[in-house]
Amino acid sequence: MAKAKTESYSQAVKELEQIVSKLQSDDCEIDELREYTARSVELLKICKEKLFKTDEELKKLLEAME
């Protein structure tokens, strides 16, 4: 599986969905499982970081409005 640089949340989610589809298919080889799992962890970290960053930015904006 090629590791394309994921720059956006939506790209990370899309790639995660693709991995899930591959894991659920009968074509998934056991040898690929480790690679898919490792990439999934990377993508989940990206999503988590982006969600937390967005949450903090929104909190600051809302506080500025008060």
Side-chain angles (χ1 to χ4, degrees):
M1 171 179 245
K3 291 184 183 179
K5 182 173 176 164
T6 304
E7 295 183 12
S8 74
Y9 179 84
S10 60
Q11 288 174 324
V13 170
K14 184 177 180 179
E15 189 174 344
L16 279 167
E17 289 171 346
Q18 291 170 348
I19 291 171
V20 169
S21 292
K22 289 176 185 177
L23 292 174
Q24 291 175 336
S25 76
D26 293 335
D27 298 333
C28 182
E29 297 290 329
I30 193 71
D31 297 328
E32 297 171 323
L33 185 59
R34 188 207 59 78
E35 184 179 342
Y36 289 145
T37 303
R39 181 62 179 154
S40 294
V41 169
E42 292 173 13
L43 293 166
L44 289 169
K45 286 180 183 179
I46 291 168
C47 290
K48 182 180 173 182
E49 289 171 7
K50 291 189 179 289
L51 287 171
F52 278 108
K53 182 178 178 181
T54 300
D55 183 55
E56 290 300 316
E57 290 173 1
L58 289 173
K59 285 179 184 177
K60 288 178 185 176
L61 290 170
L62 291 173
E63 287 174 4
M65 290 176 51
E66 293 178 4

